[in-house]
Amino acid sequence: MNVRTLCLGILYFGEATGYEIRKTASEGGFSHFIEANYGSIYPALTKLTQDELVTMREEVFSGKPSRKVYALTDQGREALKAALNEPLRADIFKSEFLFLSLYADLLGTERLTEIMKQRRADLRNELTRLHDAMGQCDHPGSNFAIGYGIALTEAAISYMATHAASASGLQVEPARAAE
Amino acid sequence: MNVRTLCLGILYFGEATGYEIRKTASEGGFSHFIEANYGSIYPALTKLTQDELVTMREEVFSGKPSRKVYALTDQGREALKAALNEPLRADIFKSEFLFLSLYADLLGTERLTEIMKQRRADLRNELTRLHDAMGQCDHPGSNFAIGYGIALTEAAISYMATHAASASGLQVEPARAAE
DNA sequence: GTTCACATGTAACAGGTTACATGATTGG
DNA sequence: CCAATCATGTAACCTGTTACATGTGAAC
């Protein structure tokens, strides 16, 4: 989906600033299947305001940086619905990690061990993040999406635990339990 | 990773045409974590030939379409190694399906049911594809990557089986066992 | 005092996607 | 005969990313 629809979608849950939209998309509970950064969000919000799919309200506090709070209009809600009814695109998954794993024999034990260790750490962090997000949210749709992320992350962790050592013919340091 | 490195990586396993590279990337055992299409592959191969990272040999058969077979040079192999030793980028996962699931209440039972059904079918196909790929390949690195895909796909199927009905407050038709 | 979080925005650039353009052979 | 597979390539377009530019307040 494009950034436009993403903004409409996040605004559907309540008004927000560009900064908050990015945070939800890139760090919140949805960040495992969404990506967006300022460079695309701010222009999109300007355009959406022009098209009257969202309204903008500027909050100016003396001293504090002013913030622009965006909210969905009825037209915006309709546009979101329309976007949701368009043909569903396939998931996109790109993994440099898996690409690297194809060339384990070219990498050398040291680098390979480092990569595998890093990946296990990343997966554990991701799992923690997802559990936190799940705890802060009781919306059924969101729980489904976050739960999906948790299920896959757990599967990845489990796979890493049992297969990381066999990525190549090279001997990789075994994972320690207390790592 | 960029298309350039992708081409070098696939050529590492043996010479190939642009057509075959795309097929490996988009339909083969690696397609679950790689994506590339003609529009990016052909220009990349031309550039790589100019840079002497690959060699090109044209095979012309009377009648048959001629094919350009590319092979890695020593320089190309070094370039691949160098690329593999650059800092590892995080995985990219974008899912319109999960995005849609956030708005289950906006979707209507019919569309939601259709989406969930489609996703289960897609996952089953993907699993079959991965098992086939695994059977045709005994390279350790590839087996690790394909196995990773299988593990995650199985987790997704399992999650769908137990949670698809609870994506929203709406009642979704339960999955049938023989579907 | 320095780093982090809040907050907005632009511009150049890179990268890849889609559509177009073409054509032979094989199998059903 | 029609569809699918093999086979190569260009060009316009779109989209998004990176880097730049700027500033406050709070916490440590």
Side-chain angles (χ1 to χ4, degrees), chain B residues 17-19 23 38-39 42 66-68 70:
Chain B
T17 64
Y19 187 86
K23 209 181 175 186
Y38 298 129
Y42 285 122
S66 64
R67 30 187 273 142
K68 292 183 176 177
Y70 295 89

Side-chain angles (χ1 to χ4, degrees), chain A residues 107-116 170-173:
Chain A
L107 253 34
T109 315
E110 208 171 316
R111 169 110 168 116
L112 194 55
T113 306
E114 176 210 315
I115 288 168
M116 293 294 173
L170 299 169
Q171 206 56 31
V172 176
E173 279 182 39

Side-chain angles (χ1 to χ4, degrees), chain A residues 93-168:
Chain A
F93 178 58
K94 294 183 189 175
S95 177
E96 268 197 25
F97 166 73
L98 288 181
F99 182 72
L100 277 207
S101 77
L102 297 176
Y103 306 96
D105 52 331
L106 270 180
L107 253 34
T109 315
E110 208 171 316
R111 169 110 168 116
L112 194 55
T113 306
E114 176 210 315
I115 288 168
M116 293 294 173
K117 188 176 170 183
Q118 185 60 50
R119 156 84 21 165
R120 282 193 293 265
D122 289 347
L123 287 169
R124 280 194 305 269
N125 289 339
E126 176 72 358
L127 189 58
T128 304
R129 227 183 38 65
L130 287 167
H131 276 302
D132 288 352
M134 186 69 116
Q136 284 164 21
C137 174
D138 61 354
H139 175 254
S142 302
N143 287 156
F144 175 81
I146 297 172
Y148 193 102
I150 290 175
L152 290 234
T153 306
E154 282 174 346
I157 289 172
S158 166
Y159 185 80
M160 289 297 294
T162 50
H163 293 80
S166 69
S168 73

Side-chain angles (χ1 to χ4, degrees), chain B residues 32-98:
Chain B
H32 64 106
F33 62 91
I34 279 178
E35 196 34 75
N37 48 22
Y38 298 129
S40 51
I41 290 172
Y42 285 122
L45 287 171
T46 304
K47 189 82 196 317
L48 287 169
T49 309
Q50 281 165 14
D51 297 347
E52 298 183 41
L53 302 186
V54 305
T55 56
M56 189 270 280
R57 173 182 94 234
E58 193 161 9
E59 290 184 351
V60 184
F61 301 94
S62 53
K64 280 185 189 174
S66 64
R67 30 187 273 142
K68 292 183 176 177
V69 182
Y70 295 89
L72 216 52
T73 63
D74 288 339
Q75 279 176 67
R77 204 165 286 110
E78 289 310 309
L80 175 60
K81 271 190 204 175
L84 296 177
N85 278 299
E86 269 176 33
L88 184 54
R89 301 272 184 108
D91 290 357
I92 293 169
F93 178 57
K94 294 182 188 176
S95 176
E96 269 196 27
F97 166 73
L98 288 181

